[in-house]
């Protein structure tokens, strides 16, 4: 399928020129595009339904706002590569790099609809809910203090709510499976609903940081939006503030397919309140000393 920036690559992928513009220009055009990851377990593919733009040195919420570091170096490289980071000691998030090399602009992939490899994606999510959930080979990467991570623990986790995938209080049948043996529609909707869930369903971790999504030889690839059928309308795109950030919180740089059930819930940033230390109770004293 041709794109505005030329023909797809030989493997039917988005061309690198697609990512030549700023994240604000690229982000809405990524909606409907298909991110796929091929592993020894099989292929999982996700049609993107929600994204956020981060604009480098001009954006206080961007990891690149304070300049280049070892952690964000991929953002300053060639467009069309994946920038993967580990946040809050819990979850991975994946971005796609935009603009020419030497600048820093990227699009966070917030949510999508699994369109291929649904049973495998569900098994990965169920494993995560049951404590085996880190993608193989994952290692904790500390967040940059004050770097402007996109979303706090309640958001970037995207995993806290009940999604029918087992774990404590989960169903007695195999996790995420309907009585007919397939993945239930309710569970299918939740598989990649949120940036951490998306990475878990696709088995994305830091080993894919820098992956070239425009290369047919890469295990992580991005394909153009499939054309709508003759009776299918082109979906509308909505925009609004980004989720869970404290800096530049009101910039409407989040884009999503209007009405799509896989889009994650919007949450404003909530400052974390530190509890006051409590001193041990003095011997023979019933009062708590602060």
């Amino acid at each position: 399928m041709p794109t505005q920036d030329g023909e797809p690559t030989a493997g039917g992928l988005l061309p690198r020129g697609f990512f030549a513009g700023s994240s604000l220009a690229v982000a809405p055009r990524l909606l409907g595009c298909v991110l796929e990851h091929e592993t020894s377990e099989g292929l999982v593919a996700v049609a993107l339904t929600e994204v956020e733009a981060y604009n480098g040195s001009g954006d206080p919420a961007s990891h690149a706002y304070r300049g280049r570091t070892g952690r964000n170096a991929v953002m300053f490289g060639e467009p069309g590569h994946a920038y993967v980071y580990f946040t809050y000691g819990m979850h991975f998030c994946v971005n796609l790099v935009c603009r020419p090399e030497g600048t820093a602009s990227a699009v966070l992939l917030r949510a999508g609809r699994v369109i291929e490899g649904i049973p495998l994606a569900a098994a990965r999510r169920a494993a995560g809910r049951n404590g085996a959930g880190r993608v193989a080979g994952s290692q904790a990467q500390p967040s940059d203090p004050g770097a402007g991570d996109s979303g706090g623990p309640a958001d970037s986790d995207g995993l806290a709510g009940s999604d029918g995938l087992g774990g404590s209080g989960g169903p007695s049948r195999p996790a995420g499976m309907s009585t007919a043996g397939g993945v239930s529609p309710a569970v299918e909707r939740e598989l990649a609903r949120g940036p951490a869930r998306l990475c878990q369903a696709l088995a994305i971790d830091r080993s894919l940081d820098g992956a070239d999504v425009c290369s047919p030889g890469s295990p992580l690839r991005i394909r153009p939006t499939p054309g709508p059928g003759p009776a299918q309308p082109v979906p509308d795109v909505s925009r609004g503030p980004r989720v869970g950030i404290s800096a530049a919180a009101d910039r409407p740089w989040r884009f999503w397919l209007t009405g799509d059930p896989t889009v994650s819930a919007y949450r404003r940033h909530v400052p974390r309140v530190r509890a006051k230390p409590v001193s041990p109770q003095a011997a023979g004293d019933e009062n708590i000393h602060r």
Side-chain angles (χ1 to χ4, degrees):
M1 176 181 174
T3 72
Q4 286 179 255
D5 304 291
E7 296 294 325
T9 64
L13 307 179
L14 285 177
R16 200 167 309 283
F18 182 94
F19 297 96
S22 74
S23 58
L24 284 169
V26 172
R29 295 172 56 217
L30 275 171
L31 295 172
C33 292
V34 177
L35 184 70
E36 62 183 32
H37 184 203
E38 190 166 9
T39 70
S40 59
E41 298 175 302
L43 180 76
V44 173
V46 172
L48 301 175
T49 59
E50 180 188 1
V51 296
E52 288 179 345
Y54 287 85
N55 206 25
S57 61
D59 182 2
S62 171
H63 285 180
Y65 181 62
R66 291 180 174 86
R68 184 171 182 153
T69 67
R71 182 199 194 202
N72 68 19
V74 171
M75 290 183 72
F76 292 83
E78 185 179 45
H81 288 253
Y83 165 49
V84 182
Y85 64 89
F86 193 60
T87 184
Y88 294 100
M90 296 184 290
H91 309 299
F92 295 101
C93 295
V94 61
N95 305 253
L96 299 182
V97 176
C98 308
R99 301 189 66 186
E101 190 170 356
T103 57
S105 185
V107 177
L108 172 68
L109 309 184
R110 279 202 54 88
R113 181 176 63 259
V114 180
I115 60 173
E116 188 169 350
I118 291 173
L120 177 55
R124 288 169 176 165
R125 288 283 300 112
R129 291 300 299 269
N130 285 298
R134 293 291 155 71
V135 176
S138 66
Q139 294 181 349
Q141 302 288 330
S143 297
D144 292 345
D149 281 298
S150 46
D155 161 63
S156 62
D157 124 2
L159 303 167
S162 171
D163 55 9
L165 284 167
S168 177
S172 58
R173 63 179 179 271
M177 298 298 172
S178 69
T179 53
V183 178
S184 69
V187 168
E188 186 176 325
R189 180 192 66 207
E190 300 292 326
L191 290 177
R193 190 177 181 227
R197 290 181 179 183
L198 183 146
C199 282
Q200 195 170 60
L202 285 163
I204 292 174
D205 64 8
R206 282 282 292 175
S207 69
L208 290 166
D209 186 46
D212 186 351
V213 299
C214 301
S215 169
S218 173
L220 186 66
R221 305 177 289 263
I222 186 83
R223 298 190 180 279
T225 305
Q232 294 178 309
V234 176
D236 292 330
V237 173
S238 296
R239 65 184 296 174
R242 294 172 292 187
V243 176
I245 60 172
S246 57
D250 293 326
R251 296 183 186 179
W253 291 359
R254 172 178 171 247
F255 303 87
W256 66 94
L257 294 182
T258 307
D260 194 290
T262 65
V263 173
S264 65
Y266 173 72
R267 298 182 182 91
R268 293 187 66 86
H269 171 73
V270 178
R272 282 175 282 178
V273 179
R274 297 182 184 276
K276 293 182 179 179
V278 178
S279 62
Q281 184 172 335
D285 187 350
E286 296 182 357
N287 297 313
I288 299 295
H289 297 270
R290 299 187 183 278

